[in-house]
Each structure stands twice: as structure tokens, then as C-alpha cells.
């Protein structure tokens, strides 16, 4: 017994080498629970993208990427536990995929010196890098989304929606409430009548809300929903014969999961888009050659090409570019958590970079700076074709009303800084 | 009559219809509680599981395909056929029967004479197990369910009421079908329990396990039968709710809507589940309509429980529940 113990100890000393360098990208997965249908394409997309990078390029700057999946079931407490249990593994950037979790993690990540990236969700005023040193919400946020939706309505109505009625149906949570302030201000500016109707989690029953909408007869309905709330709302809208082309969801209310249950009745429904839908991009050839054909597909491989899978590819691409930028800025391949923040702050996504990575025309270019962590704020509008079962972009990427939004971001973030004694930077 | 009054009537009618949908879920709870004293926490998940199985069979999906593919490296997902809705319904009822048999053999047979809380905890375990098995069998994606029940505005009601009152009432076709289905279900269940040998045996077990055993009633058989009936009711609830929103995990959360119905109607009464559902449905819709806008809306989830609690203050056993008198 003693000999065996000595032998085991010697073996471990002889064969133990330095730990291999790796770039750890944590991911709060929700393959289970009420929001699993949305969580599965996201986690599959992230995994497939970095498998492609590892297989094709041997990682980023020669250092392999490890996606660190932590199952949360879309539960805030579990997400915070996931953060605490994975942060010591060198996690470079957290993408919480939930506005509620983002609010929980902002103080923790800031204290720990780890980056948070909340693409198209989270705390909108975190776009002010002078206050939120570790939080990035590029390329767009809920306030720019609200403005993009209104600008789309303006374009459809020859530049004026004065006197029109616009109703917001929203998830009764921090997420759903985010656009209300901006929509109220836009209503004052453009002279439209605005009201907001909340729907409680999970949103399985919305008869009251849609009876109210039927009675008030708004010209347009906007939706900030998630999970089953989206599909039920689209179904109820079809039930009351609300014209689908006048019903516009935010980018978290515009996936196949949301429209398929309503069948043909969802035809014409619109949603905002941060990136283009479809598979007509060079990256899909790369994924096929390096991931799917090698049998390395994440999950069941049945999410490829869906809206949320594309969203995850976009998130992974932006993380990839930020890591490359961090390596370039610091001259170190195996970057640290602090280096990642430097990389994200110096990030510039150009059309040439997109094209080089098989994503030409997939999303607009933008630049991040120390002051501006929010990106361009551009968003497009996509429309559901129920017979072909495809989403199609029907507009170019639309500019938000930054003249209105920028002062709001400044005001909100500076109030947060004052409350929390945060010194301005940059 | 003013438009406000018509809208109130429309809200009440839709509340009644919504109440019927809640009752469909509550019925499953009542059946099991009445016969075995078990509060079945898994009833909502059973509705999800039943609906998933129905869609899986209809679409010719291979059960456990993801697991098989992961282990064997294959890429099989479908048998390549589609099954007619009626046949799929019969096959799903077979699966629910098998599930009832397994639940009895594997879990409750070993828990006879245990405290109610132990049995309740066993159903919590069953709920989590079924959640996992359902996902593993049929996948976690949202599934479309179409068994031919029409959805959307009932044009006849809309036009008729418009011609009569200059106000078209909105009633969803799906809700009308659900009401008819619920009515048939209640008649069948009441008829079964009152006029069949098995039904009388079920009532005997509900009254007194030991007395029923002493006159030759098989407890084992009755409990399998009750779990099967609850499975069938779960299937009906799953079909109606699944047609509305697609078959997805959230379907299991409809049990939360049934709880206030049970508290109000009583855990042991089939008519109580119906009346309770109607009161909750109308109450929450009227409150949302009248008070909701004043306090920010989204009142339905919590108001149903407040209403049930108010009833509990005056009738702890619910409207139709049995009054339990224990002598010490």
C-alpha cells in the first residue's frame, strides 16, 4: 500500500506540467425550464462558433477557447451562483442573457474587475462607460430599440404619427419596463398617444390584455416579451384580428418559437433585429466544414439557422473580436480578465472585419470607446413569412434618435454614479 | 346601453371561458385527491407530458432520439410517418395508462399508510422526473399542436351581437370548444363515479381505505384507475392549453392557475372545480378590468389567490369541499 502511494505521488510529480493556457468564455445556459426553447439555440450557437474557431484556427491567437457552460434554468439566483462558482476560472466576459441577472451582477462584476456584455438587453444607461467601467451593452439597447421602432413607424407614415395610438404590451419585469420612459418621451415629441399594458410572468393567459387592446383599437402594438408570452400574444392578436403588420416585437420577441405556434395566422408579424436572419452567409460554410461535418455540433444540431442561433453567432463573433483586440492591445495571447476589458473598450467592428469572418452584411459596423460602451444603436425590422416559415429583413438598419437618448443615458448613469459614489473616468 | 356595460359583459363572458380552462386543470387534482388523499403536485407536468406525447406521436417523432443519437452517434429523429389525431389520442391515452401503472407500482405502492406530506413530496419528485423524461423523450423545443380545434374570433357571435346591440362580442372559438369539452368531461366523470361499479368502488376508497379493502375492493386497481383518469384529464387540459400557446415547458405552470380554483371550490368536489374555476375566471378578469388600470395592471396572477384566501376565511373547506371534523 505504501509503495503504491509513493508511486502515485511520484507519477503525479513527473507527469504534472504547467496548466495549459485557455481563454475561458462562460455561458449561462438554460437548456431546461420555461425558457429552454430560447436558451437552447443560444447555447448551441455559442458552442458551435467557438468549436469552429478552435478547429479552424487552433483558438484565438493560438490559445484555445473553452466555453464554460453553467445551467441556470433562467433562474436569477442560480445565475448568480454560476457567476460566483466560475469567476475564479479566468472567465473573461459574462453574458447573463437576462436583464434581472445583469442588475444583480453589475456591482459584483465591477468589484471583481470582470467584463459584462449585455447585447441588446440589460441596464440601458450602462452604455455610459464613464460610469460603468466593466459593463458593455453594444451594439444596441432597449432605448435605441424603442426609438428604432418609432422611427420605422414614422417612415411608414410619411414622417408623421401624430394622433396615432401606440400600445406597448410588456413583460412585467425590469426587462419589460425598460422602454417605457423613452416611449413616453417619443410620444410627447411626435404627438402620438401611448399606453402600456403589463403581462405577468409567464404570460400563458393574456385574455384581459387583448380585450383591452380590442376595445382601445390602437394603430400599432409594440411588444417587449419573452418566452411563452410572445407566442400567446401573437395568438391573441390573431384572435382579435389585429393586423399583424402593425404588431412589432423587440428583438427578443422575434424568433421562430414566437410565431410558429400561431401557424399561418402569424403571417406578417414584425420584429426588430440586431442582425440579419437566414443562413446565406460565409460563416455557415465554415461551420459546416469545421463543426457539423466533423460531428462536433453542440446539442441536437436542430437549431442551425434559427434567429436565436444567429444571435448567438453574432455574440460569439463580438466576443472573438474583443479577445483579438485585447491580445493586440496588450501583446499577450493568454489575456487576463482586466485585459479583456481593455480589448472591449478598444473594439471597432468594421464591414471589412465582418466580411473577413463570413458575416458580410450580417450587422452594422460600430465602434466602442472608453466613454461609449453602447455602440451604434442601429436596428432593422424583420417580418415573418408564415408560408415559407422564414424571417426576412424588410428595412435597412435604422438610426435611433440619439439626440433624445444620449442625454437620458447621461442623466440616468450619473444619478447611479452619485448614488454609489462612483468617480467618473475617461 | 352604453359601450362600457357591453364591455363589462364581454369581460364577464371571457372570464367564464377562462375559468373553464382553469377548471380543466383543477379536475385532475380533484380526482386524485378525492380517491387517495394525495395532493398531486405533478398534475401540471402531467398535462405537459401528455401534450408532448400526443404531438410526438402525431409527428412520428422517435422517443429519446437525442439520447439515442448521443450514445450511438446516429442521426435519427423521425419515423417518417404522421399519425392521425384520433389514433394519436388513443395511443397517448395508452401512454398515460402505462404512466399511471408505473406511478402506482414504483412509487405509491410503497407509500401506503404514509403521512399525506410524504405522499405530496413523492409527487414533487414525480413532477421533476416527468419534466426531465418529457424533455428527454420529445425534446425541449416548442411544438405546434393542431388536433382540429378552431381558434380565433367567433364570427357568428360577433355579427349577431353587433346587429343586435351595435357592439360585437369577442368570444374565442377555442374557448367555446373548451367549455363544451369540460362540460362533457364533468358529465362523464360524475356519471362514472355515480353509476358504474368501478366508480362506486372509487368512492368507497375515497370514503375509507380500510373499509373498502375489507369488502374486497382492490386499492391497487382503484389507484391505477384514478391516476389514469387524472392522466386523461391532464391530456385534455394539455390539448386545450397547448393549442393556445404551443406545447412547451410553460404548460406545466398552468397548475398555478388551478390552485386558487381548488382552494375555492374544494379539493374533493368535481362540481366545485367547475364553479371555483368560473368564480376565479370572472373575478380576476373583472378586477383587472375595473381596478387593474388604477394600480398598474397585471393583477390576475395574485388576485386569484387573494380571492381564494377570502373564501377560505369563511369556508376553510372551500365551497363544495367536505367538512372534516376530527375528534380528539
Amino acid at each position: 500500500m505504501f509503495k503504491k502511494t509513493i508511486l502515485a505521488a511520484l507519477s503525479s510529480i513527473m507527469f504534472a506540467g504547467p496548466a495549459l493556457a485557455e481563454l475561458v468564455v462562460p455561458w449561462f445556459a438554460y437548456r431546461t425550464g420555461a425558457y429552454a426553447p430560447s436558451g437552447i439555440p443560444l447555447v448551441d450557437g455559442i458552442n458551435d462558433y467557438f468549436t469552429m474557431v478552435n478547429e479552424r484556427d487552433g483558438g484565438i491567437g493560438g490559445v484555445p477557447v473553452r466555453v464554460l457552460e453553467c445551467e441556470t434554468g433562467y433562474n436569477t439566483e442560480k445565475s448568480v451562483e454560476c457567476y460566483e462558482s466560475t469567476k475564479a476560472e479566468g472567465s473573461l466576459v459574462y453574458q447573463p442573457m437576462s436583464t434581472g441577472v445583469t442588475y444583480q451582477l453589475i456591482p459584483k462584476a465591477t468589484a471583481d474587475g470582470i467584463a459584462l456584455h449585455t447585447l441588446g438587453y440589460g441596464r440601458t444607461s450602462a452604455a455610459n462607460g464613464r460610469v460603468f467601467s466593466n459593463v458593455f451593452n453594444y451594439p444596441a439597447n432597449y432605448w435605441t430599440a424603442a426609438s428604432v421602432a418609432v422611427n420605422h413607424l414614422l417612415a411608414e407614415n410619411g414622417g408623421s404619427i401624430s394622433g396615432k395610438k401606440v400600445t406597448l404590451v410588456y413583460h412585467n419585469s425590469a426587462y419589460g419596463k425598460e422602454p417605457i420612459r423613452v416611449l413616453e418621451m417619443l410620444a410627447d415629441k411626435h404627438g402620438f398617444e401611448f399606453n402600456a399594458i403589463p403581462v405577468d410572468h409567464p404570460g400563458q393567459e393574456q385574455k384581459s390584455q387583448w380585450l383591452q387592446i380590442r376595445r382601445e383599437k390602437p394603430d400599432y402594438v409594440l411588444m417587449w416579451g419573452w418566452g411563452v408570452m410572445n407566442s400567446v400574444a401573437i395568438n391573441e392578436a390573431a384572435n382579435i384580428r389585429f393586423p399583424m403588420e402593425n404588431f412589432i416585437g423587440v428583438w427578443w420577441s422575434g424568433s421562430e418559437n414566437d410565431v410558429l405556434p400561431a401557424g399561418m395566422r402569424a403571417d406578417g408579424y414584425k420584429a426588430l433585429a440586431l442582425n440579419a436572419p437566414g443562413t446565406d452567409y460565409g460563416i455557415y460554410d465554415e461551420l459546416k466544414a469545421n463543426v457539423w461535418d466533423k460531428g462536433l455540433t453542440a446539442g441536437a444540431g436542430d437549431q442551425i439557422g434559427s434567429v436565436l442561433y444567429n444571435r448567438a453567432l453574432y455574440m460569439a463573433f463580438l466576443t472573438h473580436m474583443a479577445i483579438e483586440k485585447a491580445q493586440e492591445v496588450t501583446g499577450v495571447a493568454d489575456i487576463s480578465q482586466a485585459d479583456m476589458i481593455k480589448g472591449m473598450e478598444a473594439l471597432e467592428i468594421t464591414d471589412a472585419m465582418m466580411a473577413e469572418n463570413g458575416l458580410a452584411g450580417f450587422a452594422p459596423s460600430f465602434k466602442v470607446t472608453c466613454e461609449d460602451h453602447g455602440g451604434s444603436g442601429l436596428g432593422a425590422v424583420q417580418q415573418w413569412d408564415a408560408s415559407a416559415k422564414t424571417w426576412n429583413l424588410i428595412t435597412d438598419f435604422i438610426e435611433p434618435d440619439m439626440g433624445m437618448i444620449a442625454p437620458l443615458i447621461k442623466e440616468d448613469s450619473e444619478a447611479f454614479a452619485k448614488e454609489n459614489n462612483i468617480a467618473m473616468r475617461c | 346601453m352604453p359601450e362600457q356595460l357591453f364591455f363589462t359583459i364581454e369581460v364577464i363572458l371571457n372570464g367564464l371561458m377562462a375559468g373553464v380552462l382553469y377548471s380543466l386543470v383543477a379536475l385532475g387534482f380533484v380526482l386524485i385527491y378525492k380517491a387517495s388523499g394525495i395532493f398531486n403536485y405533478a398534475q401540471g407536468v402531467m398535462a405537459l407530458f401528455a401534450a408532448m406525447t400526443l404531438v410526438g406521436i402525431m409527428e412520428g417523432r422517435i422517443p429519446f432520439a437525442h439520447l439515442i443519437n448521443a450514445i450511438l452517434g446516429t442521426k435519427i429523429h423521425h419515423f417518417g410517418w404522421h399519425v392521425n389525431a384520433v389514433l394519436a389520442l388513443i395511443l397517448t391515452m395508452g401512454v398515460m395508462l402505462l404512466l399511471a401503472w408505473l406511478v402506482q407500482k414504483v412509487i405509491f405502492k410503497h407509500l401506503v399508510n404514509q403521512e399525506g406530506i410524504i405522499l405530496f413530496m413523492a409527487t414533487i419528485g414525480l413532477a421533476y422526473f416527468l419534466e426531465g423524461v418529457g424533455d428527454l423523450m420529445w425534446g425541449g423545443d416548442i411544438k405546434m399542436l393542431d388536433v382540429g380545434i378552431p381558434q380565433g374570433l367567433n364570427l357568428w357571435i360577433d355579427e349577431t351581437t353587433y346587429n343586435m346591440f351595435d357592439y360585437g362580442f369577442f368570444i374565442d372559438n377555442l374557448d367555446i370548444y373548451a367549455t363544451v369539452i369540460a362540460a362533457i368531461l364533468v358529465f362523464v366523470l360524475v356519471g362514472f363515479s355515480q353509476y358504474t361499479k368501478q366508480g362506486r368502488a372509487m368512492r368507497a376508497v375515497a370514503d375509507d381505505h380500510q373499509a373498502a379493502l375489507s369488502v374486497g375492493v382492490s386499492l391497487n386497481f382503484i389507484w391505477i384507475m384514478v391516476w389514469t383518469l387524472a392522466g386523461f384529464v391532464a391530456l385534455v387540459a394539455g390539448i386545450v392549453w397547448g393549442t393556445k400557446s404551443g406545447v412547451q415547458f410553460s404548460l406545466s405552470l398552468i397548475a398555478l392557475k388551478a390552485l386558487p380554483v381548488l382552494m375555492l371550490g374544494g379539493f374533493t368536489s368535481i362540481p366545485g372545480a367547475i364553479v371555483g374555476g368560473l368564480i376565479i375566471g370572472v373575478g380576476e378578469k373583472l378586477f383587472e378590468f375595473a381596478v387593474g388600470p388604477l394600480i398598474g395592471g397585471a393583477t390576475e396572477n395574485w388576485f386569484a389567490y387573494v380571492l381564494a384566501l377570502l373564501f377560505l376565511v369563511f369556508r376553510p373547506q372551500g365551497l363544495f369541499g367536505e367538512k372534516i371534523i376530527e375528534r380528539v
Side-chain angles (χ1 to χ4, degrees), chain A residues 33-34 37 172 198 200-202 204-205 207-208 211 214-215 228 231-232 235-236 239 241 257 260-261 265 300, chain B residues 4 7 10 22 66 140 142 144 151-153 158 168 170 172 175 241 244-245 248-250 285 296 298 300-301:
Chain A
N172 197 19
D200 259 344
H201 166 83
Q204 194 97 36
E205 167 62 29
K207 193 69 80 190
S208 298
L211 278 177
R214 183 171 182 263
R215 184 186 179 208
V228 71
S231 53
V232 172
N235 217 22
E236 293 289 1
N239 283 347
R241 302 193 163 197
N257 295 331
L260 282 173
R265 304 187 322 146
Chain B
Q4 187 79 350
F7 186 66
E10 190 178 30
Y22 304 157
H66 292 172
I142 295 178
M144 280 176 69
Q151 279 193 83
L153 174 73
D158 183 45
F170 172 82
D172 188 349
D175 290 345
W241 282 91
K244 265 168 95 84
S245 60
Q248 52 183 306
F249 181 88
S250 300
K285 294 284 179 288
E300 286 165 284
N301 276 1

Side-chain angles (χ1 to χ4, degrees), chain A residues 31-38 40 170 172 196-209 211-212 214-215 217 227-229 231-232 235-236 238-241 256-265 292-293 295 297 300 302-303 389, chain B residues 3-4 7 10-11 14-15 18 21-22 66 75 77 131 135 140-144 151-153 155 158 167-170 172 174-175 241-246 248-254 256-257 284-285 288-289 293 296-302:
Chain A
R31 292 187 184 277
T32 60
Y35 298 98
S38 303
I40 292 169
Y170 67 96
N172 197 19
I197 302 177
V199 175
D200 259 344
H201 166 83
Q204 194 97 36
E205 167 62 29
Q206 298 178 31
K207 193 69 80 190
S208 298
Q209 288 80 1
L211 278 177
Q212 195 181 332
R214 183 171 182 263
R215 184 186 179 208
K217 296 185 180 65
V228 71
M229 176 188 155
S231 53
V232 172
N235 217 22
E236 293 289 1
N239 283 347
I240 66 161
R241 302 193 163 197
E256 290 78 1
N257 295 331
D258 306 323
V259 283
L260 282 173
M264 286 304 295
R265 304 187 322 146
W292 310 331
D293 287 353
T297 317
D302 54 357
Q303 303 296 331
K389 291 187 178 170
Chain B
E3 193 187 304
Q4 187 79 350
F7 186 66
E10 190 178 30
V11 167
N14 278 279
L21 293 180
Y22 304 157
H66 292 172
K75 283 185 176 174
H77 293 286
E131 259 177 43
D135 267 3
D141 55 321
I142 295 178
K143 298 159 188 72
M144 280 176 69
Q151 279 193 83
L153 174 73
L155 275 177
D158 183 45
Y167 184 98
F169 280 79
F170 172 82
D172 188 349
L174 178 67
D175 290 345
W241 282 91
T243 304
K244 265 168 95 84
S245 60
Q248 52 183 306
F249 181 88
S250 300
L251 209 60
S252 64
L253 304 178
I254 56 174
L256 296 175
K257 283 287 184 187
E284 66 175 25
K285 294 284 179 288
E288 174 68 26
F289 160 62
T299 60
E300 286 165 284
N301 276 1
W302 60 263

Side-chain angles (χ1 to χ4, degrees), chain A residues 334-356:
Chain A
D334 184 16
I335 57 165
S336 67
Q337 292 166 328
D339 296 338
M340 183 67 183
I341 294 171
K342 289 177 193 161
M344 292 175 83
E345 243 169 23
L347 184 66
E348 182 174 4
I349 300 292
T350 62
D351 290 340
M353 282 163 82
M354 300 284 293
E356 197 182 314

